């Protein structure tokens, strides 16, 4: 097989890039290790920034999103048993939209298959070879080896993919921080605790009460990093969510059937070397943010814009410089998201027993709810900083 751009991975980064290239008349092959049902049902992110939503409309992937997505103006923050509302929309305009990642993946997969070309499902890339004039992927498919020749490789293959590993350790600048906690996440059949998502900064740890619809909630608990899910029967989860979200101003949390549960580690990673020759890293393949702040998917989409624009400039106008500056174009926005996620993570989680830390965290939150300037600074990033480039080269 031969194509212009070989895309490894059909997550948000790979599918967005594939669509952007197709709309610019650039050919691609998307190779995905899992089957279609698996990627369309994987429970993950749920909060889309305003620039992500606007982009999905431009790409023709916004029809269901417009109907089913829930626009939120900001979020609720509860500490000292008292609930506060941070309304960023009032100060900045725009919204954050609640729309599950797997729904966005379904929409992008349908669009790709109906209008743009195939996705090679159940095909795992096992080898990448890059040269000055092109690249070769080797992939396993039903026990056979498939070879794909391409001008460029877009590694959109997530944190454990083969793309990042292709850049030798000696050349890769990678900055990492691991937190001693994880998020235990559930989906449950209950009504949301508050009309928009709520972070509860309890002294024993965070609880987060988000939603996927009027009767489906997504809720998280801060737990130690070495937690075993088997130690958390439903009753224990509800007891802890209830205890951490107790307040003087709202009724107790509703309990209901829990139908999905998972653990997610908290870590920050930025691989600043996002390209090597004709290979480019996008999304989780290049960076991981801790989940507080909901930035991961949005960063993946933002990287896709930068690469799509650069490939457009290359194929349509023979301009190479945007490809050469791919990493340096992406990195400032990635670091802004890392900073925001770090600020939120270290403020709303209990990461130490030191009473000084607790007082300082409470003081910071008090300032957030009292100061419009603080809210504007938070809101600009929460609702989404502009993407570094347009997605199409004109
Ligand atoms: P993905 O989605 O991991 O997709 C990578 C794809 O590559 C495939 N693959 C391969 N295919 C072929 N050959 C190989 N060798 C391959 N190796 C891997 C995989 O099967 C997969 O389909 O990466 P992408 O596209 O970069 O997207 C990133 C997002 O998925 C991720 O950042 C978010 O889910 C993070 N995240 C959140 N992000 C948000 O923007 N808003 C949120 O509200 C939000 N909440 C979350 C989150 C992540 C969480 N977890 C589970 C870590 C909440 C949680 C709990
Ligand atoms: C979610 O709804 O999954 C969610 C909400 C807020 C976050 C992270 C995840 O900070």
């Amino acid at each position: 097989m031969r194509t212009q751009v070989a895309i490894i991975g059909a997550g948000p980064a790979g599918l967005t890039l594939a669509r952007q290239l197709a709309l610019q008349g650039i050919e691609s092959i998307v190779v995905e290790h899992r089957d279609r049902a698996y990627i369309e049902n994987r429970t993950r992110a749920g909060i889309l920034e305003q620039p992500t939503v606007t982009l999905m409309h431009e790409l023709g992937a916004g029809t269901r999103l417009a109907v089913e997505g829930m626009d939120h103006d900001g979020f609720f923050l509860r500490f000292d048993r008292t609930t506060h509302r941070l309304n960023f929309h009032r100060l900045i305009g725009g919204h954050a939209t609640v729309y599950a990642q797997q729904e966005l993946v379904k929409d992008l997969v349908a669009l790709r298959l109906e209008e743009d070309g195939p996705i090679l499902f159940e095909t795992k890339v096992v080898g990448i070879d890059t040269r000055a004039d092109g690249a070769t992927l080797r992939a396993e498919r039903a026990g056979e080896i498939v070879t794909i020749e391409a001008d460029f490789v877009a590694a959109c293959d997530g944190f454990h993919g083969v793309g990042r590993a292709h850049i030798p350790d000696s050349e890769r600048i990678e900055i990492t921080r691991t937190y001693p906690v994880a998020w235990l996440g559930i989906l449950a059949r209950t009504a949301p605790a508050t009309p928009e998502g709520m972070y509860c900064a309890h002294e024993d740890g965070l609880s987060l009460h988000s939603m996927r619809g009027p009767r489906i909630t997504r809720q998280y608990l801060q737990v130690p990093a070495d937690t075993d899910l088997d130690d958390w029967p439903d009753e224990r989860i509800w007891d802890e969510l209830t205890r951490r979200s107790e307040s003087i101003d709202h009724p107790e949390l509703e309990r209901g059937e829990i139908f999905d549960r998972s653990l997610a580690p908290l870590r920050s990673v930025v691989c600043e070397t996002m390209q090597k020759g004709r290979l480019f890293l996008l999304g989780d393949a290049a960076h991981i943010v801790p989940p507080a702040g909901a930035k991961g998917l949005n960063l993946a989409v933002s990287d896709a814009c930068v690469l799509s624009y650069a490939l457009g400039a290359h194929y349509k106008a023979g301009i190479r410089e945007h490809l050469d500056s791919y990493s340096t174009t992406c990195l400032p926005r990635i670091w802004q998201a890392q900073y925001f996620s770090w600020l939120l993570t270290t403020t709303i989680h209990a990461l130490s027993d030191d009473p000084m830390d607790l007082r300082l965290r409470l003081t910071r939150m008090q300032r957030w709810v009292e100061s419009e300037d603080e809210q504007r600074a938070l809101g600009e990033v929460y609702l989404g900083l502009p993407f570094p480039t347009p997605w199409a080269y004109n």
Side-chain angles (χ1 to χ4, degrees):
M1 280 183 255
R2 145 116 226 130
T3 189
Q4 291 178 303
V5 183
I7 299 177
I8 316 174
L15 291 166
T16 302
L17 178 68
R19 177 66 177 165
Q20 291 168 328
L21 295 181
L23 290 175
Q24 295 187 87
I26 300 167
E27 223 182 73
S28 67
I29 291 180
V30 181
V31 186
E32 168 56 52
H33 173 34
R34 305 289 187 167
D35 64 25
R36 182 174 178 180
Y38 184 93
I39 64 161
E40 290 188 345
N41 290 292
R42 191 163 42 189
T43 302
R44 280 195 172 172
I47 312 284
L48 309 185
E49 296 171 353
Q50 183 63 64
T52 301
V53 171
T54 304
L55 174 74
M56 289 306 149
H57 286 292
E58 288 171 14
L59 299 183
T63 312
R64 210 156 57 90
L65 172 59
V67 178
E68 296 177 23
M70 292 178 286
D71 283 354
H72 285 183
D73 295 343
F75 54 72
F76 288 84
L77 184 62
R78 189 175 280 176
F79 56 94
D80 272 345
R81 293 161 54 83
T82 307
T83 313
H84 305 268
R85 176 152 192 245
L86 298 185
N87 184 332
F88 304 129
H89 171 77
R90 181 175 62 91
L91 298 171
I92 294 165
H95 291 99
T97 301
V98 178
Y99 191 66
Q101 177 168 326
Q102 65 269 34
E103 301 307 320
L104 191 69
V105 165
K106 274 180 207 157
D107 298 342
L108 288 166
V109 166
L111 208 51
R112 167 88 190 166
L113 298 179
E114 277 160 28
E115 296 187 13
D116 300 336
I119 298 171
L120 305 183
F121 286 110
E122 298 181 76
T123 307
K124 182 180 180 184
V125 173
V126 291
I128 305 173
D129 174 35
T130 50
R131 302 172 305 277
D133 62 346
T136 308
L137 293 188
R138 280 192 327 116
E140 275 173 17
R141 183 183 170 81
E144 311 246 300
I145 291 288
V146 185
T147 305
I148 299 164
E149 299 292 340
D151 299 338
F152 298 98
V153 177
C156 307
D157 50 349
F159 188 58
H160 302 287
V162 290
R164 196 169 70 263
H166 180 71
I167 303 178
D169 290 354
S170 57
E171 289 177 31
R172 213 163 67 214
I173 299 170
E174 197 169 306
I175 301 162
T176 301
R177 169 169 294 177
T178 308
Y179 293 89
V181 298
W183 276 17
L184 191 168
I186 61 160
L187 283 170
R189 288 188 215 290
T190 59
T194 37
E196 298 183 348
M198 172 170 63
Y199 299 97
C200 299
H202 190 272
E203 61 199 51
D204 291 338
L206 172 78
S207 70
L208 164 53
H209 308 266
S210 184
M211 65 201 70
R212 292 293 180 267
R215 289 293 312 167
I216 297 192
T217 54
R218 178 86 169 129
Q219 306 190 53
Y220 301 95
L221 274 175
Q222 172 190 336
V223 292
D226 58 359
T227 293
D228 184 346
L229 270 184
D230 290 342
D231 294 335
W232 286 84
D234 291 8
E235 271 319 286
R236 185 174 177 203
I237 293 175
W238 285 123
D239 287 350
E240 202 56 20
L241 284 169
T242 304
R243 199 172 71 79
R244 293 196 197 168
S245 63
E246 266 167 7
S247 76
I248 52 170
D249 47 28
H250 272 69
E252 198 174 87
L253 200 65
E254 184 185 324
R255 297 180 181 219
E257 181 204 346
I258 295 177
F259 62 94
D260 186 284
R261 58 174 66 215
S262 59
L263 272 177
L266 262 65
R267 63 184 158 219
S268 291
V269 181
V270 181
C271 172
E272 291 196 325
T273 320
M274 293 176 69
Q275 63 197 103
K276 179 181 164 57
R278 289 176 171 258
L279 171 88
F280 298 87
L281 308 181
L282 291 81
D284 280 14
H287 39 73
I288 295 283
V289 280
K295 291 288 151 216
L297 178 158
N298 296 290
L299 280 182
V301 167
S302 156
D303 292 348
C305 284
V306 177
L307 188 58
S308 159
Y309 178 80
L311 287 167
H314 170 76
Y315 282 113
K316 291 194 218 169
I319 298 172
R320 177 77 208 206
E321 70 184 71
H322 300 297
L323 284 172
D324 292 339
S325 59
Y326 169 72
S327 304
T328 49
T329 306
C330 292
L331 282 168
R333 193 177 192 279
I334 293 165
W335 278 114
Q336 289 297 337
Q338 286 288 359
Y339 173 75
F340 177 79
S341 308
W342 166 82
L343 185 65
L344 203 56
T345 299
T346 52
T347 306
I348 61 180
H349 293 81
L351 297 171
S352 96
D353 297 331
D354 185 339
M356 177 66 87
D357 286 340
L358 176 62
R359 297 298 189 288
L360 292 174
R361 290 171 44 219
L362 291 169
T363 303
R364 192 189 271 164
M365 285 186 280
Q366 195 59 43
R367 193 90 201 108
W368 286 357
V369 301
E370 282 172 2
S371 158
E372 280 199 355
D373 286 349
E374 293 271 340
Q375 287 172 25
R376 194 171 277 109
L378 286 172
E380 277 175 1
V381 190
Y382 184 72
L383 299 183
L385 292 170
F387 290 149
T389 66
W391 62 270
Y393 182 83
N394 290 309

